[in-house]
């Protein structure tokens, strides 16, 4: 059972008790056992393969993992920190979202954007607001993943 240490795709498949051959069968040959082996050894999967695995394994958070750890754009601009989103975490996600929304300094944002430019005196406030928006984005992504995982489509 070879795999690269700490490989997320292997860990999820292993937790489910699926063999590579079983994944190949369940995916209707969209991903071969050999290709899965190479991914688990550290070869970067393509986005389509990640989507298949996420759907097949019932782990939508694999998409977020891929975007933040393997995609060049996502590593630079991604929303990190969204892990396994269990059903019991919904109240915490909602409270975090509401708290983040309440912390946005709306009046400052309006003042900063009113003239369409950010001057030197406004820059620190704008950076703080941008950081708050990043937190909101992360929380919204957690909520989206929770919904994908726990709500029947």
């Amino acid at each position: 059972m070879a795999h690269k240490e700490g490989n997320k795709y292997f860990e999820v498949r292993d937790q489910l008790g699926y063999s590579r051959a079983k994944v190949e069968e369940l995916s209707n040959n969209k991903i071969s056992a050999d290709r899965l082996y190479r991914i688990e050894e550290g070869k970067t999967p393509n986005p389509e393969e990640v989507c298949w695995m996420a759907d097949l394994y019932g782990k939508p958070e694999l998409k977020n993992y891929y975007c933040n750890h393997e995609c060049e754009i996502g590593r630079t601009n991604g929303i990190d920190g969204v892990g396994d989103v269990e059903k019991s975490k919904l109240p915490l996600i909602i409270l975090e979202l509401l708290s983040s929304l309440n912390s946005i300094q709306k009046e400052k944002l309006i003042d900063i954007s009113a003239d369409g430019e950010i001057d030197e005196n406004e820059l620190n406030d704008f950076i703080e607001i941008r950081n708050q928006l990043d937190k909101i984005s992360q929380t919204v992504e957690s909520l989206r993943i929770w919904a994908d995982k726990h709500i029947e489509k």
Side-chain angles (χ1 to χ4, degrees), residues 17-125:
Y18 291 168
S19 68
R20 289 185 191 102
K22 181 70 172 176
V23 171
E24 181 174 5
E25 176 189 327
L26 291 172
S27 74
N28 294 319
N29 300 314
K30 291 178 182 172
I31 187 165
S32 71
D34 184 57
R35 175 66 179 148
L36 191 56
Y37 171 80
R38 288 194 308 273
I39 291 168
E40 292 176 358
E41 279 295 305
K43 181 84 172 160
T44 301
N46 65 50
E48 199 170 59
E49 291 168 328
V50 174
C51 290
W52 292 330
M53 286 186 283
D55 292 344
L56 182 67
Y57 299 159
K59 297 284 187 177
E61 58 271 22
L62 282 177
K63 296 173 191 175
N64 180 266
Y65 174 84
Y66 172 83
C67 289
N68 284 294
H69 295 92
E70 296 174 344
C71 169
E72 186 63 33
I73 295 169
R75 282 197 311 260
T76 306
N77 300 310
I79 303 168
D80 203 3
V82 179
D84 193 20
V85 184
E86 294 304 320
K87 198 168 201 163
S88 62
K89 292 189 179 177
L90 179 62
L92 296 174
I93 294 169
I94 298 297
L95 289 173
E96 190 173 331
L97 178 60
L98 292 173
S99 174
S100 296
L101 289 170
N102 287 336
S103 71
I104 282 284
Q105 300 170 12
K106 296 167 196 80
E107 291 80 19
K108 278 188 184 179
L109 184 59
I110 292 168
D111 291 343
I112 291 170
S113 62
D115 63 1
E117 295 183 19
I118 301 171
D119 66 37
E120 207 171 295
N121 296 331
E122 299 168 325
L123 187 57
N124 286 336
D125 287 337

